Amino acid sequence: QLRNPRIVALDTMNFWIAKSPQLLREVIRNVDVLVLNEAEVRQITGEFNLVKAARMLMAMGPGRVVIKRGEYGVLHLSDGEIFAAPAYPLETIFDPTGAGDSFAGGFMGYLASRGGGELTEMDYRLATMYGSAVASFTVEAFSTERLQGLTKEDIAQRISSFRSLTEFRV
């Protein structure tokens, strides 16, 4: 129903994979970014290796596949690119429900914030990190409780912590 959307993303679930696989494949053919968890990737493709499975999914149509891996982070593939991001290490996880949806919201929210220009590979990588940051807040409380008071400063601080966590020099 949208006219000339800048980007179309799909975050599917195992229900549609099991109940309507052909219809789901038709939808996948028409999206730019496919977001799903590692069990769903394997269920759709029958392939255990996530990189091979993501390439199989990209052959169906999407230019990017973003695989949510829970406490192990995110694997993000596009044509010729692979980006792996860790999950934010937390000592206490109160409720993981909704973390994947929060990831997708943070990911798409970041891309939407980039304005009307061409999105770069770095934009997508940063979107992955913003999605991971939002998801990390989600699991700290029940339901949407932690997200309700979340500020841009909280997210910026978490992004900074991610940078410190993963930065190294050779």
Side-chain angles (χ1 to χ4, degrees):
Q1 295 175 340
L2 295 173
R3 297 194 197 313
N4 302 315
R6 183 172 173 200
I7 184 172
V8 176
L10 170 66
D11 186 352
T12 191
M13 58 188 290
N14 58 353
F15 174 83
W16 298 111
I17 298 166
K19 293 291 183 184
S20 301
Q22 270 316 111
L23 181 59
L24 178 59
R25 287 176 191 273
E26 289 177 36
V27 173
I28 289 172
R29 204 172 12 256
N30 293 295
V31 301
D32 302 300
V33 180
L34 179 60
V35 180
L36 61 178
N37 70 39
E38 61 187 310
E40 294 161 344
V41 169
R42 292 178 174 131
Q43 186 180 1
I44 290 173
T45 65
E47 173 61 55
F48 185 79
N49 181 291
L50 293 176
V51 174
K52 287 181 182 178
R55 298 285 183 224
M56 292 169 67
L57 291 168
M58 289 170 59
M60 293 179 192
R64 295 180 179 276
V65 174
V66 180
I67 304 170
K68 302 174 290 185
R69 303 186 63 227
E71 67 181 306
Y72 303 108
V74 179
L75 190 60
H76 179 154
L77 292 94
S78 62
D79 187 33
E81 299 284 339
I82 299 176
F83 178 63
Y88 190 77
L90 296 167
E91 288 188 35
T92 303
I93 295 173
F94 186 82
D95 180 12
T97 306
D101 291 332
S102 295
F103 170 86
F107 180 89
M108 292 303 291
Y110 180 81
L111 293 178
S113 76
R114 301 308 299 154
E118 184 79 20
L119 294 170
T120 67
E121 183 64 30
M122 190 54 67
D123 287 326
Y124 284 101
R125 287 179 180 216
L126 286 169
T128 300
M129 299 313 299
Y130 274 81
S132 294
V134 173
S136 73
F137 287 112
T138 300
V139 303
E140 292 180 331
F142 179 71
S143 186
T144 61
E145 288 174 359
R146 180 65 177 99
L147 298 179
Q148 291 174 22
L150 198 61
T151 66
K152 286 183 179 183
E153 291 76 23
D154 294 332
I155 296 170
Q157 178 58 46
R158 185 66 45 100
I159 293 295
S160 178
S161 295
F162 261 124
R163 180 170 281 128
S164 296
L165 176 70
T166 58
E167 184 177 31
F168 65 93
R169 298 199 192 287
V170 177

